[in-house]
Amino acid sequence: MKQAQLTDNDWTASAVESKSASAQSDENEASGESHPETKAALCEQAATHASEVTAEHFPELPVKTINWETSTRMQRSAGVAIYDHQGEQITIRLSWDAYEAYGWEQFSRVVRHELIHTWQYHEYGEADHGSTFKQWVEPLETDRHCERYADPKYWVICAECESRDPRYRRSKVVKHPEKYSCGRCGGAISIEEA
């Protein structure tokens, strides 16, 4: 899967954040709470959670080699596992906005979801929501798809089948709906502002 490249400001963890994240993590452990307050702390907590999950379910998965990032730009997905085929490196990018909307308990399901994709990349070199994914949904207490956490700015509406698909930015489809058709039935589409 090809991913758009964003600037470093969109991603997580400067060295300063990382040091303060460790201090916050120690405070959270002492109080029995686990509510990361920085992007670096979220990555650290996600990595710790991933280590615990993989030890039980995917012991052959080299979880310590996973790169963890957060993004404040993601609006359609709460997380994404990205596989660099050339370097065989896996990065899990987590949405900071989804974390803030869900809280850690619900967001940890996203981490487990992305771990399934990571395992798929490790085992098969590709990932999807098919049978190899479905077999882990129940044991890992996660979901095949996440709930919407951001409000769309637009809706793409089909005149034929009446489907409604959210859009979060002014994309080509939103700008020029007359050039596109419904992906489900081929019907004409229109745009509605949310």
Side-chain angles (χ1 to χ4, degrees), residues 11 60 86 100 102 148-149 162 183:
W11 310 130
E60 73 287 352
Q86 292 179 340
E100 287 188 319
Y102 294 160
R148 188 176 297 120
Y149 62 89
E162 299 180 356

Side-chain angles (χ1 to χ4, degrees), residues 55-74:
E56 182 177 347
H57 298 283
F58 308 118
E60 73 287 352
L61 186 66
V63 70
K64 295 202 183 299
T65 65
I66 298 171
N67 288 329
W68 294 89
E69 300 175 343
T70 58
S71 170
T72 55
R73 295 186 55 168
M74 294 171 68

Side-chain angles (χ1 to χ4, degrees), residues 71-108:
S71 170
T72 55
R73 295 186 55 168
M74 294 171 68
Q75 294 180 323
R76 292 175 289 180
S77 62
V80 62
I82 304 163
Y83 182 54
D84 173 7
H85 291 277
Q86 292 179 340
E88 295 186 359
Q89 178 61 52
I90 298 173
T91 300
I92 296 179
R93 186 172 299 147
L94 303 170
S95 167
W96 180 256
D97 293 340
Y99 164 68
E100 287 188 319
Y102 294 160
W104 173 254
E105 187 174 333
Q106 184 177 355
F107 193 75
S108 67

Side-chain angles (χ1 to χ4, degrees), residues 23-24 34 43 46 51 68 109 115-116 120 123 150 152 163 166 178 191:
Q24 181 200 342
S34 52
C43 286
S51 293
W68 294 89
R109 297 174 74 90
L115 278 176
I116 297 171
Q120 289 176 311
E123 294 296 311
S163 64
E178 69 282 357
I191 305 301

